Amino acid sequence: MKILVLNAGSSSHKSCLFDLSQGAESAAPQPLWRAALDWTHQQDKVELSASGAGESIQQVLPVADKAAGLEAMVKTLVDGPTQVLESLSAIDAVGHRVVHGGREYIDSVRIDDQVKAAIQRLIPLAPAHNPANLQGIEALEGILGNVPQVAVFDTAFHARMPEAAATYPGPYAWVEQGIRRYGFHGISHQYVAQRAADMVGRNIADLKILTCHLGNGCSLAAVKGGISIDTTMGFTPLDGLMMGSRSGSVDPGILIYLMRQGYSADQLDQLLNKESGLKGLSGQSNDMRSVTEAMEQGNAQAQLAFDTFIHRLRRDMGGMIASLGGLDVVVFTAGIGENSPMVWQQACAPFEFLGLRLKEDLSRAKEDQDIANQDSRVRSLVIHTQEEWAIAQACLSLL
C-alpha cells in the first residue's frame, strides 16, 4: 500500500510517500520520496525541492497559487529524476495532518464532505492552520480524484483527557461554547509514547510516560495507559510552556493591562505569538542554538531567556508527573528535544529524587537513544519524532 502524506501549512507544504506493502512497522522506514514547497522567500514564486530514486531537485517556479504548486510537487513523483511511480494511480491513500478536530474528532477519519465541513467550521479555533489543511485536501482531490483521503488530527490524542484537565475555570458558559483545553502536537506525542514503550520493552498500557515535544513550539503530555490525560497547550497552541517566539502561559491580567494602554487584539496576537518566548527575552533569536551561543558569550538577556525556559519547563514537567501519579519514562523530542544535551541535563536535574539519573557523557545521536544512567529508576529517552510515519500508520489502520 502506497500512502502519500501531506502537511499543508499557510506558507509551506511538506510531503512524502511511504510503501507499506509489508504492513505498519514499529520503526519508521525511509520514505520512497520526499518533497517540500516554500513560498516564504520570493513573492509570487515557490521554491520546490524533491528527492527520490537516489536523486534530488531544487527549482524556483513562478507559481503563487497553492493548488498549482501542489500539482507541480506531486508531478515529481511520476516525472523527472525523482520519479518513483509509473502513475499517480499507484497511490492508494493520502494522509493529511489537520491541526484542529474540535470535540467531534477523537480519532483519525476518512475524509468526506461532512469532515471537510467540520474542518471549515473549526477555522476560528485554528485560523492559521485549518484553512491551509483544507486547501491541501481539496487540491489533492482535484489532482488524484477519488483516492481515499484521511484526516489525522493534531488534537485527537488529547481528546480523551478527563474533563477536569480539559476545563478552564471560567464561567460555565465557556464549557457550553466549547472553550476548553484541546492540546496540540498530539501526533508527535502519541508516536513517541508508543516508540518509548517499544524501546523499554513494555506494554504502553502499563506505563506512565512524560513526553516533551520541544521545538519552536513546545508542549508536554502526560501519557498514562497509552492515553493523554494532561497536556500543557490549551484552547490554542499559545498556552503552556515558553517557546521559540510564543510566550506560553502568562497572567491574563497583563493582557487586560496592555489593552487599557491601547493595544489592539491584533497587536497582542503579534506580541504573544511572534515577539515573545526565546526571541522576545533574548533579543537574539527564536532558535535555541543561537540563544545558547549568545549565552556562552556572556549575553545577559540570552542567559535570562535560557534560564526562564528551563524554569518553566521544569515546573510544568512537575505538574505532568503529578497528573501521572508517578513516572516510568520521560521522552525528549522535536528540534530542541532531540538536539540539546544541555536542555536534557537541566530539565532532569530536579527529578533525581524520583530516581531519574542521566549519563554523564551525553551527546546527540542520529538514532533514538536512552540517555538515562544504568542505575536510573526512570528511563529517559531521546526519540526522533516521526509525525509523517505516524500519519501513514493511521491511514493503514483506518483503511
Side-chain angles (χ1 to χ4, degrees):
M1 191 176 194
K2 292 182 174 63
I3 297 179
L4 181 68
V5 175
L6 177 64
N7 183 353
S10 58
S11 58
S12 65
H13 293 61
K14 296 179 181 178
S15 186
C16 60
L17 181 75
F18 289 101
D19 185 353
L20 282 77
S21 56
Q22 303 302 314
E25 307 164 32
S26 60
Q30 287 298 315
L32 298 179
W33 167 94
R34 185 182 291 279
L37 297 168
D38 190 340
W39 276 273
T40 60
H41 297 124
Q42 302 184 54
Q43 187 174 0
D44 295 330
K45 293 182 180 179
V46 65
E47 297 172 7
L48 166 63
S49 60
S51 59
E55 301 290 337
S56 62
I57 60 169
Q58 290 187 325
Q59 300 173 345
V60 178
L61 306 176
V63 173
D65 180 67
K66 301 298 193 297
L70 277 168
E71 188 170 7
M73 181 177 74
V74 170
K75 188 179 178 183
T76 67
L77 277 164
V78 294
D79 191 26
T82 62
Q83 178 184 358
V84 294
L85 299 176
E86 289 298 321
S87 166
L88 292 179
S89 63
I91 297 172
D92 297 296
V94 182
H96 294 267
R97 175 177 179 258
V98 179
V99 167
H100 217 302
R103 299 195 69 178
E104 294 99 317
Y105 295 103
I106 62 175
D107 291 301
S108 302
V109 63
R110 183 165 174 171
I111 296 169
D112 58 18
D113 289 342
Q114 183 179 351
V115 173
K116 288 192 291 183
I119 295 170
Q120 175 78 36
R121 188 171 64 254
L122 291 164
I123 283 175
L125 297 183
H129 298 97
N130 270 33
N133 302 155
L134 184 58
Q135 189 178 41
I137 291 166
E138 293 177 335
L140 286 187
E141 280 180 345
I143 296 166
L144 300 177
N146 294 324
V147 172
Q149 300 200 69
V150 172
V152 183
F153 297 97
D154 223 13
T155 52
F157 184 53
H158 306 298
R160 293 178 174 86
M161 283 193 301
E163 284 301 301
T167 301
Y168 283 108
Y172 189 76
W174 285 8
V175 177
E176 298 172 322
Q177 293 168 33
I179 298 175
R180 59 183 280 123
R181 301 183 64 249
Y182 289 100
F184 298 88
H185 295 146
I187 300 169
S188 176
H189 285 296
Q190 186 169 20
Y191 170 79
V192 299
Q194 182 58 61
R195 175 69 177 140
D198 294 342
M199 287 178 68
V200 300
R202 292 179 60 186
N203 190 323
I204 194 170
D206 301 325
L207 291 171
K208 298 172 181 177
I209 305 173
L210 168 57
T211 53
C212 308
H213 181 107
L214 307 177
N216 188 46
C218 299
S219 67
L220 307 179
V223 183
K224 187 175 184 178
I227 295 172
S228 172
I229 62 166
D230 204 353
T231 190
T232 53
M233 282 184 170
F235 182 65
T236 73
L238 184 58
D239 200 6
L241 297 172
M242 174 179 166
M243 309 180 212
S245 62
R246 297 180 194 146
S247 64
S249 299
V250 296
D251 179 352
I254 296 171
L255 310 186
I256 296 169
Y257 171 81
L258 291 174
M259 289 175 71
R260 287 174 175 158
Q261 301 301 310
Y263 278 76
S264 68
D266 287 344
Q267 286 174 317
L268 290 175
D269 190 327
Q270 174 73 15
L271 189 70
L272 295 173
N273 280 292
K274 304 293 185 183
E275 298 173 11
S276 298
L278 288 172
K279 179 182 177 181
L281 272 185
S282 71
Q284 299 287 318
S285 172
N286 64 338
D287 190 317
M288 179 63 83
R289 292 167 297 186
S290 299
V291 172
T292 52
E293 286 174 10
M295 177 180 74
E296 288 163 358
Q297 293 169 7
N299 185 297
Q301 274 186 239
Q303 182 72 60
L304 177 62
F306 180 83
D307 290 345
T308 305
F309 181 90
I310 294 298
H311 170 79
R312 293 171 69 93
L313 173 59
R314 288 169 166 176
R315 185 187 65 185
D316 280 8
M317 287 174 69
M320 293 295 111
I321 293 168
S323 291
L324 287 168
L327 185 63
D328 298 308
V329 185
V330 58
V331 180
F332 293 99
T333 193
I336 299 170
E338 294 172 22
N339 296 293
S340 179
M342 186 186 302
V343 169
W344 307 336
Q345 290 170 326
Q346 293 287 327
C348 292
F351 302 107
E352 282 199 21
F353 74 96
L354 295 175
L356 172 57
R357 297 182 180 85
L358 300 190
K359 296 173 182 175
E360 292 186 7
D361 184 20
L362 296 175
S363 61
R364 293 184 292 272
K366 291 183 179 179
E367 303 297 325
D368 298 341
Q369 60 171 325
D370 187 341
I371 58 172
N373 206 354
Q374 191 171 0
D375 66 352
S376 179
R377 192 188 65 76
V378 177
R379 304 322 301 166
S380 183
L381 309 178
V382 176
I383 297 176
H384 298 279
T385 191
Q386 303 282 359
E387 291 173 284
E388 294 160 334
W389 173 237
I391 292 170
Q393 286 180 304
C395 290
L396 183 67
S397 298
L398 186 65
L399 299 176

